Amino acid sequence: TKTATIALKNDGDVLVLISVSGDSPNLLAAAAAARKAGMRSLALLGRPGALLPSMDCSVVLGDGDYGLAEDLHLAVTHMAVRMLRGTHAHRPS
């Protein structure tokens, strides 16, 4: 069993985990460390694995198909970055 610690955190920080399987031991350890540190956690998953029950919020995309899940995760992360930056898609003039 892997263990992890959260060395630096600020109030309101959120741990974001991305995994197709949802079963990666390193991510399970990170989720446990975040919970112990009082952080909230969000997962972008390809199937509901062992990580799902420990998340505060999760999105499951791709039905376990690795290629499809990775493509969908990429699209979601692009949308999240645009939302956080407050920008829109580039539109050719």
Side-chain angles (χ1 to χ4, degrees), residues 15-32:
L15 176 68
V16 178
L17 302 173
I18 302 174
S19 172
V20 174
S21 72
D23 291 326
S24 302
N26 57 333
L27 297 185
L28 292 164

Side-chain angles (χ1 to χ4, degrees), residues 82 87-93:
R82 289 188 185 213
T87 59
H88 299 284
H90 174 73
R91 293 182 185 96
S93 27

Side-chain angles (χ1 to χ4, degrees), residues 4-10 13 33-34 37 39:
T5 58
I6 305 293
L8 301 172
K9 76 173 189 78
N10 293 307
D13 282 355
M39 294 175 65

Side-chain angles (χ1 to χ4, degrees), residues 8-72:
L8 301 172
K9 76 173 189 78
N10 293 307
D11 289 342
D13 282 355
V14 176
L15 176 68
V16 178
L17 302 173
I18 302 174
S19 172
V20 174
S21 72
D23 291 326
S24 302
N26 57 333
L27 297 185
L28 292 164
R35 189 172 39 258
K36 184 176 179 181
M39 294 175 65
R40 294 185 55 103
S41 56
L42 165 73
L44 188 55
L45 303 170
R47 67 176 189 82
L51 199 56
L52 186 69
S54 62
M55 296 292 99
D56 293 307
C57 182
S58 59
V59 177
V60 181
L61 301 167
D63 198 28
D65 178 318
Y66 275 72
L68 178 59
E70 289 171 352
D71 288 346
L72 293 169

